[in-house]
Amino acid sequence: MTTTPSATSGIADDSAELLPIATGARTRAALRTLIRPDRGRAILGLGVLVGATAVGLLVQPLLGRIVDIVADGRPADALTLPVVLLLVVAVVQGVTTTLGLTQVARLGETVLARLREQFIERALQLPADRLERAGAGDLTARVTGDVARVAEAVRSALPEMARSVLAIVLTLGAMALLDVRFLLAALLAVPVQALTARWYVTRAVTVYADQRVANGAQQQQLLETIGGAVTVRGHRLEEQHTEKSAARSRRAVELTMRSVHLVLGFYARLHIAEYIGLAAVLVTGFFLVRDGSVSIGTATAAALYFHSLFGPVNAALVLLDDAQSAAAGLARLVGVTDIEESTGLKESTGLKKSAVRLPYQRTGSASEAAVTVDAVSHAYGPGRTVLHEVSLTLRAGEHVALVGTSGAGKSTLARLVAGVQQPTGGTVSVAEGKTAPSVVLVTQEVHVFTGTLADDLRLARPDATDADLRTALATVHALEWAEALPEGLATVVGEGGHRLDPARAQQLALARLVLADPPVAVLDEATAEAGSAGARTLERSAEAALAGRTALVVAHRLAQAVAADRIVVLEAGRVVESGTHDELRTADGPYAALWHAWSGSRAAPHL
């Protein structure tokens, strides 16, 4: 299996090429695209919230009316109408606010679900080498922390922000209706608030973006240290890795504390703005009442209006904190969804982008090529070319074994044929079959998904019947142990369920291959994890699964190569030999050397 140096050594690579982050303009454009299918719901939710906010603005004039009634010494029964109206306003505002926020929340959840689907779809399509260059920590941080941050903003910040902005605009308009001088007095707080918002935003964008990157680097270091624990201990690198983990953790903590200090300074400036505005409104009310321009009740309503702005103004500005953090997370998610589908490579990698996978071409007869690899090259980065203009043709129904020393490029070529990665030079074309997909890849890294054994098998063919599942299991010699499970096909496997050993997990993967029924199958050391005891069983299972298909097999054991129709020997990313086992063994070339080295310590199979 071809891996990057960091994956094999367990040492984090500080020069990892992180997945792209979308620009602000691109993020906003993506957001508009996500909302577009639900414009009706957005308009409805906004309209209902406007109505709810407008109704709520009747509270302050009604309270001012009560003040005037008391100040004028009117009878107590004069208070009945304004009090009843206050109750009506409360009920109507409560109902309409609930309806409006519900629509906004549904809109947010729908958009979030759409974004998640696009993110997962594109993440699953990313070439393996692109993920290896970025490191698992970067993608993990995006799919966990960034998604969670955006989800939190959608569920709480978005509805509250919408309501706060509406309340601010309509309240200022109501103050102008009372007396425009009240509005002018209230606006004295705006310069301080605007400067506060600008001061905060210009700093928060950088801090939160850096914080997300630092968290991703921290997760990457932890994943690589834990994943390579055996190597770390074997090379006595515990102290070095501990220091690297501590350094990245300190960086993450440092950025977190910077964000805390930023928020504290933000709140302090907001309080100053509140004092300035409220003092200005009260002083203005005092002079207007003294001059007889307005009543005490009107001045009271103006003061209450401004006081009611404390909540929405502070909420709107405070939500900038969540908005900036969510925007940083959203930009990282959109960055992944925008990665080019054709190659998965950015211009900055320095790799050629001319190589694209050819459309599937139909083959009419068994004599025609099922797979054509034409002058294919592949590099995992500048100066790290692993395949050099490899050309290879697999005839329909032919079984070809790839052999070579570790690092020869076998797994890379297998991935290119399977379409998991794209070549950086040359082309790969695969004949179209009657089933989809046309090529299925089975590697030594098999995942058993959580669920019943039947559900795990149906990942390959959702419409498969129980009889189909049993036939597939029987084909790979796995039906006996499958039916012996506590609940047979209904037994829960995977995380928290019945544990399958590596050999059985690999047989499960081969049964999925049978169910998918592709014309071309690629096996990348698919029997390597079984160990010597299960090797022969898995080899029998693999042989049965490949029957009737065109197959490219990365041979972990040379016994697998013996049974192949043809053997292709790779050396330093180039094809150096091709032929049958007998032809290559007698040619006294690289394959013969590999065969003698392999068979010298064990009994050679009977030929």
Side-chain angles (χ1 to χ4, degrees):
M1 182 65 67
T2 303
T3 55
T4 60
S6 62
T8 57
S9 67
I11 299 174
D13 184 4
D14 291 329
S15 61
E17 181 190 331
L18 298 182
L19 295 170
I21 299 175
T23 63
R26 175 64 195 119
T27 302
R28 290 189 293 272
L31 190 58
R32 288 193 296 269
T33 301
L34 290 168
I35 294 176
R36 189 172 295 122
D38 295 284
R39 283 177 296 184
R41 177 171 289 169
I43 294 172
L44 175 62
L46 181 62
V48 174
L49 283 179
V50 169
T53 304
V55 170
L57 292 177
L58 296 175
V59 171
Q60 288 82 357
L62 289 173
L63 291 175
R65 179 62 178 168
I66 292 174
V67 170
D68 283 337
I69 290 173
V70 174
D72 294 342
R74 299 180 188 178
D77 56 2
L79 297 173
T80 302
L81 180 59
V83 169
V84 170
L85 290 177
L86 283 174
L87 293 175
V88 172
V89 166
V91 172
V92 173
Q93 185 184 24
V95 172
T96 52
T97 299
T98 300
L99 292 175
L101 291 179
T102 299
Q103 291 300 318
V104 172
R106 286 179 177 174
L107 172 66
E109 291 293 342
T110 302
V111 171
L112 179 61
R114 194 173 291 128
L115 174 63
R116 278 174 168 163
E117 290 172 359
Q118 292 182 6
F119 178 84
I120 295 298
E121 179 182 4
R122 186 55 53 82
L124 291 175
Q125 293 174 351
L126 288 177
D129 57 322
R130 184 66 183 88
L131 289 177
E132 288 176 354
R133 292 200 308 275
D138 187 33
L139 185 61
T140 300
R142 297 186 192 220
V143 81
T144 55
D146 291 322
V147 169
R149 191 62 58 88
V150 173
E152 181 182 355
V154 165
R155 292 177 181 133
S156 57
L158 178 62
E160 187 61 30
M161 175 69 84
R163 188 171 65 168
S164 297
V165 170
L166 287 173
I168 293 169
V169 173
L170 294 179
T171 300
L172 291 176
M175 292 185 72
L177 290 176
L178 293 178
D179 192 296
V180 72
R181 287 169 287 188
F182 285 125
L183 174 60
L184 296 176
L187 292 179
L188 291 178
V190 171
V192 179
Q193 292 168 336
L195 291 173
T196 298
R198 181 180 179 183
W199 172 85
Y200 177 77
V201 169
T202 55
R203 289 162 176 78
V205 171
T206 302
V207 170
Y208 284 116
D210 291 346
Q211 189 176 8
R212 299 309 305 156
V213 171
N215 288 339
Q218 181 188 32
Q219 290 191 35
Q220 176 67 26
Q221 180 63 49
L222 292 175
L223 286 171
E224 292 189 348
T225 298
I226 295 172
V230 175
T231 303
V232 170
R233 288 195 297 268
H235 290 277
R236 300 293 189 270
L237 298 174
E238 295 93 340
E239 184 175 346
Q240 178 183 349
H241 272 255
T242 299
E243 178 54 36
K244 282 193 172 186
S245 297
R248 294 193 175 187
S249 296
R250 284 194 297 270
R251 175 60 176 166
V253 171
E254 175 189 343
L255 288 169
T256 299
M257 293 308 300
R258 282 177 58 187
S259 67
V260 170
H261 288 300
L262 195 63
V263 171
L264 291 176
F266 178 68
Y267 277 117
R269 288 166 172 79
L270 286 185
H271 292 325
I272 294 173
E274 291 173 358
Y275 297 149
I276 292 174
L278 184 58
V281 171
L282 290 173
V283 170
T284 300
F286 171 78
F287 285 108
L288 291 178
V289 170
R290 190 183 66 175
D291 294 343
S293 300
V294 299
S295 67
I296 296 177
T298 301
T300 301
L304 290 174
Y305 269 138
F306 187 82
H307 189 273
S308 70
L309 284 175
F310 286 8
V313 168
N314 287 349
L317 294 177
V318 167
L319 287 174
L320 286 174
D321 180 60
D322 293 334
Q324 292 303 318
S325 182
L330 183 60
R332 286 161 57 83
L333 297 178
V334 173
V336 173
T337 64
D338 278 352
I339 293 179
E340 299 174 35
E341 296 186 37
S342 60
T343 62
L345 298 174
K346 302 298 285 184
E347 292 287 357
S348 61
T349 63
L351 303 181
K352 293 186 293 183
K353 298 175 61 179
S354 59
V356 296
R357 192 171 183 82
L358 295 179
Y360 289 137
Q361 300 171 347
R362 290 188 178 277
T363 55
S365 66
S367 63
E368 295 184 1
V371 178
T372 301
V373 178
D374 184 18
V376 161
S377 298
H378 189 76
Y380 287 99
R384 296 172 58 197
T385 303
V386 294
L387 291 178
H388 304 271
E389 297 188 353
V390 173
S391 293
L392 176 66
T393 300
L394 276 68
R395 295 182 296 275
E398 183 182 26
H399 289 188
V400 175
L402 280 179
V403 301
T405 58
S406 178
K410 304 185 299 297
S411 292
T412 300
L413 181 56
R415 291 181 183 181
L416 294 177
V417 171
V420 175
Q421 294 177 198
Q422 300 294 330
T424 54
T427 56
V428 177
S429 59
V430 179
E432 183 180 10
K434 296 180 180 180
T435 60
S438 292
V439 184
V440 168
L441 170 68
V442 180
T443 71
Q444 66 184 36
E445 299 170 349
V446 177
H447 184 73
V448 179
F449 293 87
T450 301
T452 66
L453 181 63
D455 289 341
D456 211 309
L457 288 166
R458 286 194 175 97
L459 291 171
R461 204 172 95 203
D463 61 347
T465 64
D466 285 352
D468 294 330
L469 303 185
R470 289 188 173 87
T471 299
L473 289 169
T475 300
V476 299
H477 312 291
L479 183 60
E480 183 178 350
W481 65 256
E483 291 187 330
L485 293 175
E487 298 179 55
L489 294 178
T491 301
V492 176
V493 296
E495 189 71 25
H498 187 88
R499 184 177 179 83
L500 300 181
D501 61 40
R504 290 183 174 182
Q506 195 64 258
Q507 284 181 310
L508 181 61
L510 291 171
R512 287 198 291 254
L513 170 63
V514 172
L515 286 167
D517 195 24
V520 180
V522 178
L523 268 58
D524 184 4
E525 298 187 352
T527 64
E529 292 295 320
S532 299
R536 290 189 178 181
T537 299
L538 273 186
E539 285 168 9
R540 287 176 57 235
S541 300
E543 183 179 355
L546 295 178
R549 311 181 201 284
T550 305
L552 181 65
V553 179
V554 177
H556 176 67
R557 295 174 175 83
L558 289 188
Q560 296 172 282
V562 174
D565 299 319
R566 182 159 51 103
I567 299 169
V568 174
V569 183
L570 285 182
E571 194 173 276
R574 292 180 171 84
V575 175
V576 294
E577 279 188 310
S578 177
T580 65
H581 168 73
D582 289 334
E583 290 171 347
L584 296 181
R585 191 180 60 167
T586 58
D588 199 25
Y591 178 78
L594 289 172
W595 175 258
H596 291 311
W598 181 82
S599 61
S601 60
R602 68 196 74 207
H606 179 71
L607 302 179

